[in-house]
Amino acid sequence: MIKAFPVKIISCRTIAWILLFTGFVIKDIHSQRPDTTIIHRNDTIIKMIRPGIQEKQLEGRKLEDILEDYSDRNFFSRKLHEWLVKSSFNKDEETKRITNNNPGEYNGKQIAHIDIRHIPPFGSSIDDTVSIADTWLSRLGNNLRFETAPGIIRKTITFQEKETIDQTDISDSERLLRSLSFINDSRIIAWPHPTNKNAINISIYVQDRYPHALSAGLIDQQPSVGLINKNILGRGISFAHTLVIPSPDIKDWGFRETVSAENFLSNYVNLELDYSHISNLHLIAGSLEKDFILPEIKYAGGIGLNRSFTNQKITDYPAIVWNPSLNFRRQNFWMGRSFLLESSNSPLRSNIYITTRFMDLKMFNNGEHLNFIPDGKFYYAGLSFSRRGYYKNNLIHSFGRTEDVPYGSLNSLSYGYHENMNGHRHFLEYHYSLGKALIPSKGYLYFSGDVGSYFRKGIPEQGHLKLTSEYISSLISVGRSKLRNFFELQYVNGLSRFPQEYLSIDEDVNGLHRFDYNRSISGSEKIVLKTEQVFFTRLEPLGFKFAVFSFFDMAFLREDSNKSLFDHNPYYSFGGGLRIRNDNLVFNTLQIRLAIMPRIPDGVLPISLRTTGEVTGDFKDFIPRQPGSSVFY
């Protein structure tokens, strides 16, 4: 044992000398390297590292940053980073969500080449294009689809090769791509040309939504199943097939087929065909329409044809469910001309719009409705002034994808003339709306007002006054999650309406959450206050994101014409629930909601627990509508 001890000492010293000598050698080798720059290219990420210097120091760094650096080492580290760190929103503030590389610096330069890069729905994102699907299910989903064809993308953007680019081309093209129902997000990057300083190259990153979906639910108390494909063969064509199954009350089978194509003939023309053969909905309809989606669009218009043999809804009276059902033919045509008043490279652009519209409505065998829904021919004309722009945000209506928030104002004046067998009458309406972001980072405010009426021999009839204000707060940090508040105040008054016409405070007509009693609770004037608080959690298993929400609504409805509005007792609805959404899928948002309603008709439970599929909300843009549209609801 005594002889072995020195051997151990000598061995440790020898090892120490070897390590020390190796350190000097390595240091000397580093000192002999030229002072160059190493570039690691990870698709859109470029890292500049000086040789001999550690890329990132661990001391004093946050745990989430360390986990992010090591997330690509093995399966465990990837999952740890995904569950503990990765989220759908930025670590700093929402205004840093997605930014272009200052497209203004490339104004007037020629586009030499356009490169389209597809990002699969699962495993990657616009912000992290180098990630790949790490599960067999994600890889299978990415393979069981067609990528959006480059031709669909090229005819959607506002620029082409060999053309010069303006400051707004990139932001407009990103917005147009995101407006397509089969695309989740997009980002466009301009790069300096390597040899020509007067030219640039452009890369377009597009992330598709997964196009296939199944649905199940109830249609008029009958079970239904649906099959959806939002991007057939990558050509931007959507198909939806719904099969209605017999129930104990209704023994008939039913089905509905819907086909649509966005940007169908280029120039932003959309096509939709609809055929339904269900117990309470038997119709054949089609539309071909082009809106003023860009300020630079000079001409827009649309054709809509509808032959409804059995239908409980009509476009011109969206608040009413008709019983018995309606039987009608509706033909609608409109067109408009736009005049751009400012340079197209300005972020806030102004237009004057002149619009015209013709509608022919023919009712069949609806004797009790004929006085209420005057059929005949309607002629309208409108003059509008719009000033609009867009800025990027997220976590408003979506769960993390980029959202284009409109701001600006719209003024519209409409005149109409209506004739049928009972005579003729005139129509006059004025609309004003305003939306703006409150700076700095104080939320978003929107206001709109509509007032209009028909006039028969100078006497007003079927008039309306509608005022709406909305406020969306900025994101509030709650730990590592986010909270956003929504407020809406609406006032609607019917002016000289027909006896059968009424207002309701139902949910589907901007009323109280969960309310559905328009046949038993109705009036001629209302004011509705709605508040909602949405808490966006950091949970993201398999790409599904979770938001917890609460709401409180209150409404006054003038049910007795002999009393003023505030002499009536208010109605309430309050509660909360959970929303689950995957922006990479074409599914609607799954919503589980508990609502409590203290005042409802007798014999109905005041508590409702309902699971539904909700369509993602949208912003009110400052694009003129076709003149003469009804807003009495």
Side-chain angles (χ1 to χ4, degrees):
M1 296 296 296
I2 299 175
K3 294 182 180 179
F5 183 78
V7 174
K8 291 185 65 177
I9 295 295
I10 295 172
S11 300
C12 292
R13 289 177 179 177
T14 304
I15 294 172
W17 278 107
I18 292 173
L19 292 176
L20 182 62
F21 176 76
T22 305
F24 280 115
V25 172
I26 293 175
K27 181 178 180 181
D28 183 64
I29 292 174
H30 282 176
S31 64
Q32 298 302 315
R33 289 184 180 178
D35 188 13
T36 58
T37 301
I38 297 176
I39 300 177
H40 296 278
R41 293 190 178 272
N42 289 334
D43 201 353
T44 59
I45 302 175
I46 301 177
K47 299 179 180 179
M48 314 295 288
I49 305 173
R50 290 180 58 84
I53 298 178
Q54 186 177 352
E55 180 184 352
K56 292 183 180 179
Q57 299 294 330
L58 299 182
E59 184 178 355
R61 300 181 64 219
K62 295 181 179 179
L63 175 62
E64 58 265 26
D65 296 330
I66 299 173
L67 289 175
E68 185 174 359
D69 292 341
Y70 288 86
S71 61
D72 59 348
R73 297 296 177 90
N74 51 56
F75 177 82
F76 175 77
S77 61
R78 284 197 303 271
K79 286 303 177 184
L80 189 63
H81 173 259
E82 178 181 334
W83 282 90
L84 296 183
V85 179
K86 194 173 181 181
S87 68
S88 61
F89 37 81
N90 210 345
K91 297 171 186 167
D92 297 320
E93 52 188 284
E94 57 185 308
T95 55
K96 298 178 181 178
R97 166 78 173 110
I98 293 180
T99 57
N100 287 316
N101 52 335
N102 190 17
E105 65 179 296
Y106 300 116
N107 276 350
K109 293 191 176 183
Q110 189 180 64
I111 303 171
H113 177 69
I114 297 176
D115 177 29
I116 298 175
R117 306 186 184 188
H118 292 276
I119 302 173
F122 306 117
S124 301
S125 71
I126 288 295
D127 298 324
D128 187 7
T129 61
V130 299
S131 297
I132 59 175
D134 56 4
T135 65
W136 69 268
L137 186 60
S138 297
R139 291 191 294 270
L140 179 64
N142 288 334
N143 292 327
L144 293 179
R145 66 182 185 91
F146 289 88
E147 292 180 342
T148 299
I152 301 298
I153 297 172
R154 288 182 179 271
K155 72 178 183 179
T156 302
I157 59 179
T158 63
F159 53 84
Q160 301 297 332
E161 292 178 355
K162 308 305 179 184
E163 296 179 352
T164 58
I165 194 169
D166 289 327
Q167 181 176 354
T168 57
D169 281 328
I170 289 181
S171 57
D172 281 343
S173 296
E174 286 184 343
R175 177 172 61 87
L176 292 174
L177 289 171
R178 282 191 289 266
S179 70
L180 300 175
S181 63
F182 49 88
I183 288 182
N184 180 39
D185 213 340
S186 65
R187 186 177 183 183
I188 300 176
I189 303 295
W191 309 91
H193 194 276
T195 60
N196 186 354
K197 65 179 182 180
N198 294 321
I200 59 171
N201 293 329
I202 288 183
S203 297
I204 302 176
Y205 296 85
V206 174
Q207 184 180 40
D208 293 340
R209 282 195 169 112
Y210 188 70
H212 312 297
L214 293 172
S215 64
L218 294 175
I219 298 179
D220 293 330
Q221 305 307 313
Q222 286 186 265
S224 68
V225 292
L227 176 65
I228 303 169
N229 189 317
K230 277 286 186 179
N231 195 5
I232 297 176
L233 300 178
R235 307 305 304 182
I237 300 174
S238 301
F239 172 78
H241 168 73
T242 303
L243 179 65
V244 179
I245 302 171
S247 66
D249 296 329
I250 304 176
K251 303 299 183 181
D252 298 329
W253 290 81
F255 64 92
R256 185 173 187 175
E257 313 291 342
T258 303
V259 179
S260 62
E262 300 171 72
N263 206 3
F264 175 57
L265 300 173
S266 71
N267 297 318
Y268 313 111
V269 176
N270 297 327
L271 169 71
E272 184 171 345
L273 302 174
D274 189 3
Y275 178 75
S276 176
H277 197 289
I278 304 174
S279 59
N280 288 325
L281 184 63
H282 183 194
L283 65 82
I284 181 170
S287 67
L288 193 68
E289 190 159 13
K290 174 183 179 179
D291 288 323
F292 291 108
I293 191 171
L294 284 172
E296 289 76 17
I297 291 179
K298 293 183 179 180
Y299 296 95
I303 301 173
L305 306 175
N306 185 319
R307 180 63 179 96
S308 288
F309 303 93
T310 304
N311 198 341
Q312 292 185 305
K313 289 280 191 178
I314 186 170
T315 304
D316 306 275
Y317 296 87
I320 301 177
V321 177
W322 300 94
N323 190 19
S325 299
L326 301 176
N327 181 2
F328 63 88
R329 182 197 69 221
R330 185 178 186 272
Q331 302 174 353
N332 188 66
F333 309 87
W334 76 276
M335 65 176 298
R337 174 67 162 92
S338 170
F339 301 89
L340 184 63
L341 301 181
E342 296 178 356
S343 172
S344 60
N345 62 1
S346 172
L348 191 64
R349 288 161 283 181
S350 300
N351 294 76
I352 291 178
Y353 298 90
I354 299 175
T355 54
T356 60
R357 178 187 177 194
F358 169 72
M359 184 179 70
D360 184 10
L361 180 61
K362 175 65 176 176
M363 309 297 297
F364 302 99
N365 304 324
N366 295 293
E368 66 179 278
H369 302 319
L370 286 179
N371 293 329
F372 180 20
I373 310 179
D375 59 2
K377 294 177 170 54
F378 298 78
Y379 305 86
Y380 297 102
L383 178 65
S384 303
F385 174 78
S386 171
R387 185 169 175 81
R388 55 175 163 141
Y390 301 87
Y391 70 92
K392 298 177 185 178
N393 210 322
N394 74 325
L395 292 179
I396 301 178
H397 298 304
S398 74
F399 280 40
R401 69 187 294 263
T402 308
E403 299 179 70
D404 299 285
V405 184
Y407 65 95
S409 63
L410 174 65
N411 288 269
S412 296
L413 182 64
S414 301
Y415 167 78
Y417 179 81
H418 170 218
E419 63 177 4
N420 62 7
M421 296 179 59
N422 297 325
H424 65 272
R425 56 182 182 163
H426 301 271
F427 174 80
L428 193 63
E429 181 186 50
Y430 174 72
H431 166 86
Y432 174 76
S433 58
L434 171 70
K436 63 181 301 184
L438 304 180
I439 305 298
S441 301
K442 297 300 182 183
Y444 178 81
L445 182 65
Y446 174 85
F447 170 81
S448 70
D450 295 88
V451 58
S453 178
Y454 284 96
F455 296 88
R456 189 185 298 273
K457 297 180 180 180
I459 300 175
E461 63 182 25
Q462 288 191 294
H464 60 267
L465 171 63
K466 181 178 180 180
L467 304 174
T468 302
S469 62
E470 299 178 16
Y471 173 72
I472 303 173
S473 76
S474 58
L475 279 177
I476 302 171
S477 296
V478 180
R480 294 184 56 80
S481 299
K482 301 292 183 181
L483 172 70
R484 198 186 290 276
N485 297 303
F486 298 82
F487 302 90
E488 179 180 351
L489 182 63
Q490 181 187 114
Y491 171 79
V492 185
N493 192 356
L495 308 175
S496 302
R497 306 299 296 194
F498 289 163
Q500 302 96 325
E501 291 181 287
Y502 56 82
L503 290 167
S504 72
I505 53 175
D506 285 9
E507 181 177 26
D508 59 351
V509 287
N510 299 322
L512 305 179
H513 283 87
R514 178 52 189 91
F515 245 72
D516 187 20
Y517 309 108
N518 62 349
R519 296 183 181 179
S520 54
I521 300 177
S522 60
S524 59
E525 183 182 10
K526 71 175 181 179
I527 184 168
V528 180
L529 171 65
K530 302 173 66 175
T531 69
E532 186 174 85
Q533 302 75 41
V534 182
F535 180 79
F536 297 94
T537 72
R538 297 180 59 83
L539 296 176
E540 196 177 335
L542 299 177
F544 287 90
K545 302 171 185 178
F546 295 77
V548 180
F549 68 95
S550 62
F551 63 89
F552 176 83
D553 302 343
M554 179 178 68
F556 288 89
L557 180 65
R558 187 180 180 185
E559 302 173 73
D560 187 347
S561 59
N562 296 322
K563 295 182 180 180
S564 67
L565 177 63
F566 292 104
D567 285 338
H568 294 76
N569 293 326
Y571 291 90
Y572 298 95
S573 176
F574 57 91
L578 175 68
R579 294 187 182 120
I580 306 172
R581 180 171 180 80
N582 190 328
D583 283 321
N584 298 322
L585 304 178
V586 294
F587 284 106
N588 292 336
T589 301
L590 176 64
Q591 177 174 270
I592 304 172
R593 181 178 62 192
L594 173 66
I596 301 174
M597 299 157 290
R599 289 191 62 203
I600 54 176
D602 294 336
V604 182
L605 289 176
I607 298 177
S608 170
L609 179 62
R610 179 179 293 185
T611 301
T612 58
E614 300 295 319
V615 178
T616 303
D618 204 354
F619 299 97
K620 298 179 177 66
D621 211 335
F622 303 98
I623 303 174
R625 306 165 299 183
Q626 51 180 315
S629 298
S630 173
V631 294
F632 183 67
Y633 60 90

Short mmCIF file of all heavy atoms in Angstrom, two decimals, residues 160-195:
data_model
loop_
_atom_site.label_atom_id
_atom_site.label_comp_id
_atom_site.label_asym_id
_atom_site.label_seq_id
_atom_site.Cartn_x
_atom_site.Cartn_y
_atom_site.Cartn_z
N GLN A 160 -44.36 41.14 -59.20
CA GLN A 160 -43.83 40.05 -59.99
C GLN A 160 -42.37 40.33 -60.32
O GLN A 160 -41.87 41.44 -60.11
CB GLN A 160 -44.65 39.85 -61.27
CG GLN A 160 -46.13 39.56 -61.05
CD GLN A 160 -46.37 38.25 -60.31
OE1 GLN A 160 -45.56 37.32 -60.40
NE2 GLN A 160 -47.50 38.18 -59.58
N GLU A 161 -41.70 39.33 -60.83
CA GLU A 161 -40.31 39.51 -61.24
C GLU A 161 -40.21 40.54 -62.37
O GLU A 161 -41.13 40.69 -63.17
CB GLU A 161 -39.72 38.17 -61.69
CG GLU A 161 -39.55 37.18 -60.54
CD GLU A 161 -39.02 35.84 -61.02
OE1 GLU A 161 -38.89 35.67 -62.25
OE2 GLU A 161 -38.73 34.96 -60.17
N LYS A 162 -39.10 41.26 -62.40
CA LYS A 162 -38.78 42.31 -63.37
C LYS A 162 -39.54 43.60 -63.10
O LYS A 162 -39.39 44.57 -63.85
CB LYS A 162 -39.03 41.85 -64.81
CG LYS A 162 -38.37 40.52 -65.17
CD LYS A 162 -36.88 40.51 -64.90
CE LYS A 162 -36.26 39.17 -65.25
NZ LYS A 162 -34.80 39.12 -64.91
N GLU A 163 -40.39 43.62 -62.06
CA GLU A 163 -41.08 44.85 -61.69
C GLU A 163 -40.32 45.54 -60.55
O GLU A 163 -39.54 44.91 -59.84
CB GLU A 163 -42.52 44.55 -61.24
CG GLU A 163 -43.39 43.98 -62.33
CD GLU A 163 -44.80 43.69 -61.84
OE1 GLU A 163 -45.04 43.81 -60.61
OE2 GLU A 163 -45.65 43.35 -62.67
N THR A 164 -40.58 46.83 -60.37
CA THR A 164 -40.02 47.54 -59.23
C THR A 164 -40.95 47.39 -58.03
O THR A 164 -42.16 47.15 -58.19
CB THR A 164 -39.81 49.03 -59.54
OG1 THR A 164 -41.08 49.60 -59.93
CG2 THR A 164 -38.81 49.20 -60.68
N ILE A 165 -40.39 47.55 -56.84
CA ILE A 165 -41.16 47.30 -55.63
C ILE A 165 -41.35 48.60 -54.86
O ILE A 165 -40.48 49.49 -54.87
CB ILE A 165 -40.45 46.25 -54.75
CG1 ILE A 165 -41.38 45.74 -53.65
CG2 ILE A 165 -39.16 46.80 -54.15
CD1 ILE A 165 -40.85 44.53 -52.92
N ASP A 166 -42.53 48.75 -54.23
CA ASP A 166 -42.84 49.88 -53.37
C ASP A 166 -42.88 49.40 -51.92
O ASP A 166 -42.93 48.20 -51.64
CB ASP A 166 -44.18 50.51 -53.74
CG ASP A 166 -44.12 51.26 -55.06
OD1 ASP A 166 -43.05 51.81 -55.35
OD2 ASP A 166 -45.13 51.27 -55.78
N GLN A 167 -42.92 50.36 -51.01
CA GLN A 167 -42.87 50.05 -49.59
C GLN A 167 -44.04 49.19 -49.14
O GLN A 167 -43.90 48.31 -48.28
CB GLN A 167 -42.83 51.34 -48.78
CG GLN A 167 -42.75 51.14 -47.27
CD GLN A 167 -42.62 52.45 -46.53
OE1 GLN A 167 -42.47 53.48 -47.16
NE2 GLN A 167 -42.68 52.40 -45.22
N THR A 168 -45.23 49.42 -49.71
CA THR A 168 -46.42 48.71 -49.25
C THR A 168 -46.62 47.36 -49.93
O THR A 168 -47.50 46.60 -49.51
CB THR A 168 -47.67 49.57 -49.50
OG1 THR A 168 -47.75 49.89 -50.89
CG2 THR A 168 -47.61 50.85 -48.69
N ASP A 169 -45.84 47.04 -50.96
CA ASP A 169 -46.04 45.78 -51.67
C ASP A 169 -45.87 44.58 -50.76
O ASP A 169 -46.63 43.62 -50.82
CB ASP A 169 -45.08 45.68 -52.86
CG ASP A 169 -45.53 46.50 -54.05
OD1 ASP A 169 -46.75 46.63 -54.22
OD2 ASP A 169 -44.68 47.02 -54.79
N ILE A 170 -44.85 44.62 -49.91
CA ILE A 170 -44.59 43.47 -49.05
C ILE A 170 -45.69 43.30 -48.00
O ILE A 170 -46.22 42.21 -47.81
CB ILE A 170 -43.20 43.61 -48.39
CG1 ILE A 170 -42.10 43.42 -49.43
CG2 ILE A 170 -43.03 42.61 -47.25
CD1 ILE A 170 -40.70 43.53 -48.89
N SER A 171 -46.05 44.38 -47.32
CA SER A 171 -47.08 44.26 -46.28
C SER A 171 -48.44 43.91 -46.89
O SER A 171 -49.19 43.10 -46.31
CB SER A 171 -47.17 45.57 -45.49
OG SER A 171 -47.44 46.66 -46.34
N ASP A 172 -48.78 44.48 -48.06
CA ASP A 172 -50.04 44.13 -48.70
C ASP A 172 -50.07 42.67 -49.12
O ASP A 172 -51.08 41.98 -48.94
CB ASP A 172 -50.27 45.02 -49.93
CG ASP A 172 -50.78 46.40 -49.57
OD1 ASP A 172 -51.25 46.58 -48.44
OD2 ASP A 172 -50.70 47.30 -50.42
N SER A 173 -48.97 42.19 -49.66
CA SER A 173 -48.94 40.80 -50.13
C SER A 173 -49.01 39.83 -48.96
O SER A 173 -49.69 38.79 -49.06
CB SER A 173 -47.65 40.57 -50.94
OG SER A 173 -47.64 41.36 -52.11
N GLU A 174 -48.34 40.13 -47.87
CA GLU A 174 -48.46 39.28 -46.68
C GLU A 174 -49.91 39.23 -46.20
O GLU A 174 -50.43 38.16 -45.86
CB GLU A 174 -47.56 39.80 -45.56
CG GLU A 174 -46.09 39.55 -45.76
CD GLU A 174 -45.27 40.00 -44.57
OE1 GLU A 174 -45.78 40.78 -43.74
OE2 GLU A 174 -44.11 39.57 -44.48
N ARG A 175 -50.56 40.38 -46.17
CA ARG A 175 -51.95 40.44 -45.71
C ARG A 175 -52.87 39.65 -46.64
O ARG A 175 -53.77 38.92 -46.18
CB ARG A 175 -52.40 41.90 -45.63
CG ARG A 175 -53.85 42.08 -45.24
CD ARG A 175 -54.16 43.55 -44.99
NE ARG A 175 -53.96 44.37 -46.18
CZ ARG A 175 -54.88 44.57 -47.12
NH1 ARG A 175 -56.07 43.97 -47.01
NH2 ARG A 175 -54.64 45.35 -48.15
N LEU A 176 -52.68 39.76 -47.95
CA LEU A 176 -53.51 39.04 -48.90
C LEU A 176 -53.32 37.52 -48.76
O LEU A 176 -54.29 36.76 -48.82
CB LEU A 176 -53.18 39.47 -50.32
CG LEU A 176 -53.57 40.91 -50.69
CD1 LEU A 176 -53.04 41.26 -52.07
CD2 LEU A 176 -55.08 41.10 -50.63
N LEU A 177 -52.09 37.09 -48.56
CA LEU A 177 -51.85 35.66 -48.37
C LEU A 177 -52.51 35.16 -47.10
O LEU A 177 -53.11 34.08 -47.07
CB LEU A 177 -50.35 35.39 -48.35
CG LEU A 177 -49.61 35.54 -49.69
CD1 LEU A 177 -48.11 35.46 -49.49
CD2 LEU A 177 -50.08 34.48 -50.69
N ARG A 178 -52.41 35.92 -46.02
CA ARG A 178 -53.01 35.50 -44.75
C ARG A 178 -54.54 35.52 -44.81
O ARG A 178 -55.19 34.85 -44.02
CB ARG A 178 -52.53 36.39 -43.61
CG ARG A 178 -51.14 36.06 -43.11
CD ARG A 178 -50.83 36.79 -41.82
NE ARG A 178 -50.64 38.20 -42.04
CZ ARG A 178 -49.46 38.79 -42.23
NH1 ARG A 178 -48.37 38.07 -42.25
NH2 ARG A 178 -49.38 40.10 -42.40
N SER A 179 -55.11 36.29 -45.73
CA SER A 179 -56.57 36.34 -45.84
C SER A 179 -57.14 35.09 -46.50
O SER A 179 -58.36 34.85 -46.41
CB SER A 179 -56.99 37.58 -46.64
OG SER A 179 -56.64 37.45 -48.01
N LEU A 180 -56.32 34.28 -47.16
CA LEU A 180 -56.79 33.03 -47.76
C LEU A 180 -57.06 32.01 -46.66
O LEU A 180 -56.25 31.82 -45.76
CB LEU A 180 -55.75 32.49 -48.74
CG LEU A 180 -55.39 33.41 -49.91
CD1 LEU A 180 -54.26 32.81 -50.74
CD2 LEU A 180 -56.61 33.68 -50.78
N SER A 181 -58.19 31.35 -46.74
CA SER A 181 -58.61 30.47 -45.65
C SER A 181 -57.72 29.25 -45.49
O SER A 181 -57.71 28.61 -44.43
CB SER A 181 -60.06 30.01 -45.88
OG SER A 181 -60.15 29.24 -47.07
N PHE A 182 -56.94 28.88 -46.50
CA PHE A 182 -56.10 27.69 -46.43
C PHE A 182 -54.66 28.02 -46.08
O PHE A 182 -53.80 27.13 -46.09
CB PHE A 182 -56.16 26.92 -47.76
CG PHE A 182 -55.96 27.78 -48.98
CD1 PHE A 182 -54.70 28.03 -49.47
CD2 PHE A 182 -57.05 28.33 -49.63
CE1 PHE A 182 -54.51 28.81 -50.59
CE2 PHE A 182 -56.88 29.12 -50.76
CZ PHE A 182 -55.60 29.37 -51.25
N ILE A 183 -54.34 29.28 -45.81
CA ILE A 183 -52.99 29.68 -45.42
C ILE A 183 -53.03 30.20 -43.99
O ILE A 183 -53.84 31.05 -43.65
CB ILE A 183 -52.43 30.74 -46.39
CG1 ILE A 183 -52.10 30.07 -47.73
CG2 ILE A 183 -51.18 31.41 -45.81
CD1 ILE A 183 -51.50 30.99 -48.75
N ASN A 184 -52.13 29.68 -43.17
CA ASN A 184 -52.08 30.08 -41.77
C ASN A 184 -51.32 31.38 -41.57
O ASN A 184 -51.79 32.29 -40.88
CB ASN A 184 -51.44 28.97 -40.93
CG ASN A 184 -51.36 29.30 -39.47
OD1 ASN A 184 -52.28 29.90 -38.91
ND2 ASN A 184 -50.26 28.96 -38.83
N ASP A 185 -50.13 31.49 -42.16
CA ASP A 185 -49.32 32.68 -41.95
C ASP A 185 -48.37 32.84 -43.12
O ASP A 185 -48.14 31.92 -43.90
CB ASP A 185 -48.53 32.58 -40.64
CG ASP A 185 -48.33 33.94 -39.98
OD1 ASP A 185 -48.45 34.96 -40.68
OD2 ASP A 185 -48.05 33.97 -38.76
N SER A 186 -47.81 34.05 -43.24
CA SER A 186 -46.87 34.32 -44.33
C SER A 186 -45.88 35.38 -43.89
O SER A 186 -46.16 36.20 -43.02
CB SER A 186 -47.62 34.78 -45.58
OG SER A 186 -48.25 36.03 -45.36
N ARG A 187 -44.72 35.32 -44.53
CA ARG A 187 -43.70 36.33 -44.29
C ARG A 187 -42.89 36.51 -45.57
O ARG A 187 -42.54 35.52 -46.23
CB ARG A 187 -42.79 35.93 -43.14
CG ARG A 187 -41.80 37.02 -42.74
CD ARG A 187 -40.96 36.60 -41.56
NE ARG A 187 -40.07 37.65 -41.14
CZ ARG A 187 -39.18 37.52 -40.16
NH1 ARG A 187 -39.08 36.39 -39.52
NH2 ARG A 187 -38.38 38.52 -39.83
N ILE A 188 -42.59 37.76 -45.92
CA ILE A 188 -41.87 38.06 -47.15
C ILE A 188 -40.61 38.82 -46.79
O ILE A 188 -40.66 39.82 -46.07
CB ILE A 188 -42.74 38.86 -48.12
CG1 ILE A 188 -44.00 38.06 -48.49
CG2 ILE A 188 -41.97 39.22 -49.38
CD1 ILE A 188 -44.98 38.80 -49.37
N ILE A 189 -39.48 38.33 -47.28
CA ILE A 189 -38.18 38.93 -46.99
C ILE A 189 -37.54 39.41 -48.29
O ILE A 189 -37.52 38.67 -49.28
CB ILE A 189 -37.24 37.91 -46.30
CG1 ILE A 189 -37.88 37.38 -45.02
CG2 ILE A 189 -35.90 38.56 -45.98
CD1 ILE A 189 -38.09 38.41 -43.95
N ALA A 190 -37.04 40.63 -48.29
CA ALA A 190 -36.30 41.17 -49.42
C ALA A 190 -34.81 41.11 -49.12
O ALA A 190 -34.37 41.53 -48.05
CB ALA A 190 -36.74 42.61 -49.71
N TRP A 191 -34.02 40.60 -50.07
CA TRP A 191 -32.58 40.44 -49.90
C TRP A 191 -31.85 41.28 -50.94
O TRP A 191 -32.28 41.35 -52.08
CB TRP A 191 -32.15 38.99 -50.07
CG TRP A 191 -32.91 38.00 -49.25
CD1 TRP A 191 -34.04 37.32 -49.61
CD2 TRP A 191 -32.60 37.57 -47.94
NE1 TRP A 191 -34.45 36.49 -48.60
CE2 TRP A 191 -33.58 36.62 -47.56
CE3 TRP A 191 -31.58 37.88 -47.04
CZ2 TRP A 191 -33.57 35.99 -46.33
CZ3 TRP A 191 -31.58 37.25 -45.81
CH2 TRP A 191 -32.56 36.32 -45.46
N PRO A 192 -30.74 41.89 -50.60
CA PRO A 192 -29.95 42.59 -51.62
C PRO A 192 -29.42 41.61 -52.66
O PRO A 192 -29.03 40.49 -52.34
CB PRO A 192 -28.80 43.22 -50.82
CG PRO A 192 -29.25 43.20 -49.40
CD PRO A 192 -30.17 42.03 -49.25
N HIS A 193 -29.44 42.03 -53.91
CA HIS A 193 -28.90 41.18 -54.98
C HIS A 193 -27.38 41.11 -54.82
O HIS A 193 -26.73 42.13 -54.55
CB HIS A 193 -29.27 41.75 -56.34
CG HIS A 193 -29.04 40.80 -57.46
ND1 HIS A 193 -27.81 40.65 -58.07
CD2 HIS A 193 -29.89 39.94 -58.09
CE1 HIS A 193 -27.91 39.75 -59.03
NE2 HIS A 193 -29.16 39.29 -59.06
N PRO A 194 -26.76 39.93 -55.00
CA PRO A 194 -25.32 39.82 -54.73
C PRO A 194 -24.43 40.60 -55.70
O PRO A 194 -23.31 40.98 -55.35
CB PRO A 194 -25.07 38.31 -54.85
CG PRO A 194 -26.20 37.79 -55.66
CD PRO A 194 -27.37 38.64 -55.33
N THR A 195 -24.92 40.85 -56.93
CA THR A 195 -24.06 41.52 -57.91
C THR A 195 -24.63 42.83 -58.44
O THR A 195 -23.88 43.66 -58.96
CB THR A 195 -23.81 40.57 -59.10
OG1 THR A 195 -25.07 40.22 -59.71
CG2 THR A 195 -23.09 39.31 -58.63
#
